[in-house]
């Protein structure tokens, strides 16, 4: 009998074309719209940030290098072999040349950062307008002071002055991040040289720019993110729609006839639990299948995908059973409508609209304990090729939703004669 009840629920939904459009077609359309409109927020898409960087050198690097070499030649302390080694090394470790020729001139950086050299006389004009995103001031004597500090530990390390345009903080921060990486890797290479370990700063690029997260895992595209986000959003509509169907059956006395036919009330409730699971499974498979074909969304591990999908479906089944039980208990059609009204709350905190990583920490914690938030984080972690141990807590959260809500559903579901 349970099979026939489940079949009834599926057939009722299939015959309701507006619901099919809402559950299957609308998520795909929203993925396309959001993935295109908000692609700049995700690291997996082509960069949309553009920075105009002006390098203002108050001195001359070649002149300062020659000044340093002349002092090395005239030194009475250094042996001839050391002079030769220092002069050769000095020509290969010039920081400004390396920054401009190796880092900022690379193809990856040039896509987002346009670098120009400017004269000191142009500095005042550059500061006034919005022409520059970032201005890098190189003080006079920078190269000479740098070489003196590096080879002879004389004086303090010279400092570059970086001026940022507050009107474009994202592009400014992008360039600052590149400078920070340059500084850290340059210091590391210098340490290797001091310890006489092999390092060749000319043959290899000083910095390699790649699209990775902080812990070097792949960044998913906006289309992939919103595939998950929309999928986790529209699973809630399965719950409200099935609960609304249950109320219609109650209002049309279909439920009473089912009970009079000696069908257990628990079988009736269980049918909604399983129907919710099946519909969620179909919806997720169709949604991900469409995204794989149309948007080249990658699923690194099918077994993990199947496991996460199963846990999500369990949570949906639990919600469906609970909202159905509440609807029949209070005999009120507004229960499914109220649940539909608070769906936006769950979706916002769960990250279906905006990446959850952009939220404050307390909001991220709240979002990770919603059903859609736990499902979204599990799916995205899987796409980033994390091990299951990394997101197992989210799987347990979804299972906990299923168990707790199913128990509450059986508690609230009206007994024979109450409905």
């Amino acid at each position: 009998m349970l099979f026939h009840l489940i079949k009834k629920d599926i057939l009722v939904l299939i015959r309701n074309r507006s619901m099919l459009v809402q559950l299957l077609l609308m998520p795909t359309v929203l993925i396309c719209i959001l993935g295109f409109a908000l692609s700049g927020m995700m690291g997996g898409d082509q960069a949309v940030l553009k920075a105009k960087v002006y390098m203002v050198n108050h001195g001359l690097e070649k002149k300062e290098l020659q000044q340093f070499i002349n002092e090395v030649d005239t030194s009475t302390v250094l042996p001839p072999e050391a002079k030769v080694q220092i002069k050769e090394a000095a020509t290969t470790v010039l920081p400004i040349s390396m920054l401009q020729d190796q880092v900022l001139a690379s193809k990856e950086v040039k896509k987002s950062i346009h670098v120009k050299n400017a004269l000191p006389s142009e500095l005042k004009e550059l500061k006034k307008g919005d022409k520059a995103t970032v201005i890098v001031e190189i003080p006079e004597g920078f190269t000479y002071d740098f070489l003196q500090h590096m080879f002879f530990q004389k004086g303090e390390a010279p400092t570059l002055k970086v001026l940022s345009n507050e009107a474009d903080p994202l592009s400014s921060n992008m360039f600052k991040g590149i400078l920070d990486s340059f500084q850290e890797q340059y210091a590391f290479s210098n340490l290797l040289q001091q310890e006489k370990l092999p390092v060749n700063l000319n043959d290899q690029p000083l910095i390699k720019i790649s699209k990775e997260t902080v812990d070097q895992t792949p960044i998913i595209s906006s289309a992939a993110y919103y595939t998950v986000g929309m999928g986790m959003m529209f699973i809630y509509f399965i719950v409200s729609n099935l609960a609304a169907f249950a109320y219609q059956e109650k209002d049309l006395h279909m439920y009473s006839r089912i009970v009079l036919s000696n069908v257990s009330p628990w079988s009736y409730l269980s049918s909604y639990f399983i129907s919710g699971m099946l519909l969620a499974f179909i919806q997720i498979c169709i949604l991900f299948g469409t995204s794989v074909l149309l948007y080249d969304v990658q699923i690194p591990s099918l077994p993990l995908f199947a496991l996460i999908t199963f846990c999500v479906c369990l949570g949906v089944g639990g919600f469906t059973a609970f909202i159905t039980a509440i609807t029949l208990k209070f005999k009120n059609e507004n229960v499914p409508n109220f649940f539909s009204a608070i769906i936006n709350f769950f979706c916002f905190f769960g990250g279906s609209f905006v990446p959850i990583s952009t939220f404050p920490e307390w909001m991220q914690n709240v979002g990770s304990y919603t059903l859609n938030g736990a499902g979204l984080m599990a799916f995205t972690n899987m796409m980033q090729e994390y091990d299951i141990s990394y997101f197992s807590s989210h799987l347990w959260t979804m299972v906990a939703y299923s168990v707790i809500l199913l128990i509450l559903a059986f508690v609230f579901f009206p007994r024979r004669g109450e409905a």
Side-chain angles (χ1 to χ4, degrees):
M1 192 63 192
L2 181 61
F3 170 78
H4 294 289
L5 290 173
I6 297 171
K7 182 180 178 181
K8 167 190 65 72
D9 297 334
I10 301 297
L11 290 175
V12 169
L13 184 63
I14 291 175
R15 290 169 183 170
N16 193 322
R17 294 182 179 179
S18 62
M19 293 301 174
L20 285 178
V21 170
Q22 183 187 55
L23 295 178
L24 301 179
L25 181 60
M26 191 175 292
T28 304
V29 174
L30 286 175
I31 290 168
C32 181
I33 295 172
L34 292 173
F36 175 78
L38 303 178
S39 60
M41 299 182 64
M42 308 297 295
D45 298 306
Q46 186 176 0
V48 296
L49 297 180
K50 297 290 183 181
K52 294 181 180 179
V53 178
Y54 285 83
M55 308 284 289
V56 180
N57 199 333
H58 292 274
L60 294 174
E61 188 177 57
K62 291 183 179 179
K63 182 179 178 181
E64 293 172 15
L65 171 63
Q66 189 59 48
Q67 179 186 354
F68 174 78
I69 290 175
N70 291 340
E71 290 187 7
V72 171
D73 283 332
T74 58
S75 174
T76 58
V77 179
L78 296 171
E81 297 82 3
K83 291 182 180 181
V84 174
Q85 292 178 357
I86 290 174
K87 288 190 291 183
E88 289 179 353
T91 59
T92 63
V93 296
L94 299 176
I96 302 303
S97 292
M98 296 176 70
L99 176 63
Q100 289 183 304
D101 299 338
Q102 295 187 27
V103 179
L104 299 180
S106 67
K107 291 182 180 180
E108 293 84 357
V109 173
K110 279 177 129 181
K111 293 177 182 178
S112 300
I113 298 178
H114 183 62
V115 182
K116 285 187 176 181
N117 291 314
L119 298 173
S121 58
E122 301 177 80
L123 181 59
K124 187 176 181 181
E125 191 66 27
L126 289 174
K127 289 181 179 180
K128 287 183 179 179
D130 294 330
K131 188 176 181 181
T133 307
V134 176
I135 301 173
V136 179
E137 278 194 78
I138 306 164
E140 187 175 1
F142 178 88
T143 300
Y144 175 79
D145 293 340
F146 172 82
L147 295 173
Q148 287 282 354
H149 181 75
M150 179 177 181
F151 289 100
F152 303 124
Q153 288 74 50
K154 291 184 179 179
E156 296 182 358
T159 303
L160 290 176
K161 187 176 181 181
V162 181
L163 305 175
S164 301
N165 189 341
E166 295 180 356
D168 193 1
L170 294 178
S171 298
S172 300
N173 290 335
M174 173 182 63
F175 181 76
K176 286 180 180 179
I178 291 176
L179 279 184
D180 291 340
S181 298
F182 172 80
Q183 181 184 25
E184 291 172 5
Q185 191 162 348
Y186 192 97
F188 179 68
S189 300
N190 184 30
L191 177 63
L192 293 181
Q193 285 189 320
Q194 290 178 1
E195 297 297 329
K196 298 181 179 180
L197 295 174
V199 58
N200 191 330
L201 297 177
N202 285 328
D203 295 341
Q204 297 179 357
L206 190 63
I207 296 176
K208 293 182 179 180
I209 307 300
S210 61
K211 293 180 179 179
E212 295 180 339
T213 56
V214 174
D215 49 4
Q216 297 184 343
T217 56
I219 291 181
I220 61 175
S221 66
S222 59
Y225 183 88
Y226 285 109
T227 294
V228 181
M230 292 301 99
M232 295 303 97
M233 171 182 173
F234 279 86
I235 57 174
Y236 285 125
F237 290 102
I238 293 174
V239 175
S240 58
N241 286 330
L242 287 179
F245 290 155
Y247 178 81
Q248 290 177 7
E249 291 179 345
K250 167 67 180 171
D251 195 43
L252 296 173
H253 305 291
M254 290 177 60
Y255 174 71
S256 299
R257 290 197 292 270
I258 291 173
V259 172
L260 290 174
S261 64
N262 205 29
V263 174
S264 169
W266 313 126
S267 296
Y268 182 82
L269 184 61
S270 298
S271 73
Y272 273 89
F273 174 80
I274 298 174
S275 296
M277 287 187 62
L278 287 176
L279 290 172
F281 176 77
I282 294 170
Q283 184 190 69
I284 291 172
C285 288
I286 292 176
L287 192 58
F288 273 86
T290 303
S291 296
V292 168
L293 294 175
L294 298 182
Y295 308 116
D296 196 29
V297 172
Q298 301 297 316
I299 301 177
S301 173
L302 286 177
L304 284 180
F305 173 80
L307 176 61
I308 297 170
T309 301
F310 177 70
C311 292
V312 171
C313 293
L314 282 176
V316 174
F319 257 115
T320 303
F322 176 68
I323 300 300
T324 299
I326 295 295
T327 301
L328 296 179
K329 176 71 174 179
F330 295 101
K331 305 175 184 178
N332 193 332
E333 63 177 338
N334 290 324
V335 174
N337 295 333
F338 175 76
F339 181 76
S340 297
I342 64 173
I343 285 175
N344 288 333
F345 169 82
F346 290 123
C347 293
F348 175 75
F349 278 92
S352 292
F353 299 144
V354 180
I356 196 171
S357 58
T358 62
F359 295 159
E361 186 176 356
W362 70 269
M363 290 180 65
Q364 294 185 36
N365 293 332
V366 172
S368 65
Y369 286 105
T370 61
L371 176 62
N372 63 302
L376 184 145
M377 296 181 76
F379 274 121
T380 52
N381 289 159
M382 179 272 295
M383 289 179 172
Q384 291 177 298
E385 301 178 14
Y386 281 106
D387 184 76
I388 187 174
S389 60
Y390 189 86
F391 55 85
S392 59
S393 60
H394 301 309
L395 301 181
W396 285 115
T397 297
M398 292 183 281
V399 173
Y401 265 107
S402 176
V403 173
I404 294 172
L405 291 174
L406 190 58
I407 293 173
L408 291 175
F410 279 108
V411 170
F412 283 100
F413 193 77
R415 274 47 176 182
R416 193 184 297 271
E418 293 183 9

